[in-house]
Amino acid sequence: MNKVILMGRLTRDPEIRYSQGEQSTAVARYTLAVDRRFKRDGDQQTADFINCVAFGRQGEFAERYFRKGIKVAVTGRIQTGSYTNKDGQRVYTTDIVVEEQEFAESKAASDNNSGFVPAERPAPSSAAGDGFMNIPDGIDEELPFN
């Protein structure tokens, strides 16, 4: 099974081209900046930049509505390929072929570029010797389970 689900922000406006022939098809290419969930020690990069390509109606939708900075969710498949560039070197490619795409935040949030800002987490209290955080007394009533 080859299935990919991504959520990220466009790094620039989509690049749109149309195929030649009687039935010209829209081909939209864009790059998503997808935040990494965890940061490794010494690694400065906190996002991956993933190339996406959308064909036909999906490409036309991207052309009409997608702009740099908006947050989108994409479902598709990974496609690899290669070609020889003008210098005679072999270049390998990896793209996500878009099957579905949709907005991942409201237009107002996108316009403000504020998006979702997580609430600040309280600092964990002193950890017990087993590495788990101590739970304050009297919180049992607030838990949704027993």
Side-chain angles (χ1 to χ4, degrees):
M1 178 185 290
N2 183 355
K3 183 115 177 149
V4 176
I5 301 171
L6 301 170
M7 186 179 308
R9 294 191 181 277
L10 271 71
T11 61
R12 63 180 183 274
D13 289 352
E15 177 184 308
I16 311 298
R17 294 188 180 161
Y18 286 86
S19 65
Q20 301 295 320
E22 288 181 31
Q23 299 288 337
S24 66
T25 302
V27 180
R29 293 187 173 276
Y30 55 87
T31 302
L32 284 183
V34 178
D35 288 332
R36 290 184 179 171
R37 203 164 184 183
F38 302 103
K39 187 175 180 182
R40 291 186 176 164
D41 293 335
D43 190 4
Q44 299 298 320
Q45 186 175 351
T46 60
D48 291 303
F49 299 90
I50 301 172
N51 296 322
C52 299
V53 59
F55 296 98
R57 296 188 70 192
Q58 298 290 352
E60 292 169 2
F61 182 87
E63 177 182 27
R64 191 171 299 129
Y65 299 111
F66 285 5
R67 296 291 173 257
K68 176 182 178 179
I70 69 165
K71 190 174 193 178
V72 297
V74 170
T75 304
R77 61 185 167 82
I78 294 177
Q79 180 173 292
T80 59
S82 65
Y83 64 93
T84 304
N85 68 10
K86 60 184 174 188
D87 299 329
Q89 296 176 325
R90 192 73 156 176
V91 178
Y92 295 93
T93 62
T94 302
D95 294 314
I96 303 304
V97 177
V98 175
E99 294 169 356
E100 297 176 35
Q101 57 192 3
E102 59 188 63
F103 299 105
E105 67 183 357
S106 69
K107 180 154 175 45
S110 180
D111 289 344
N112 293 335
N113 238 354
S114 61
F116 172 74
V117 179
E120 292 220 8
R121 287 188 182 174
S125 59
S126 60
D130 58 3
F132 289 96
M133 186 172 91
N134 291 326
I135 298 176
D137 292 331
I139 199 166
D140 293 339
E141 294 80 31
E142 296 179 29
L143 294 176
F145 52 86
N146 287 329

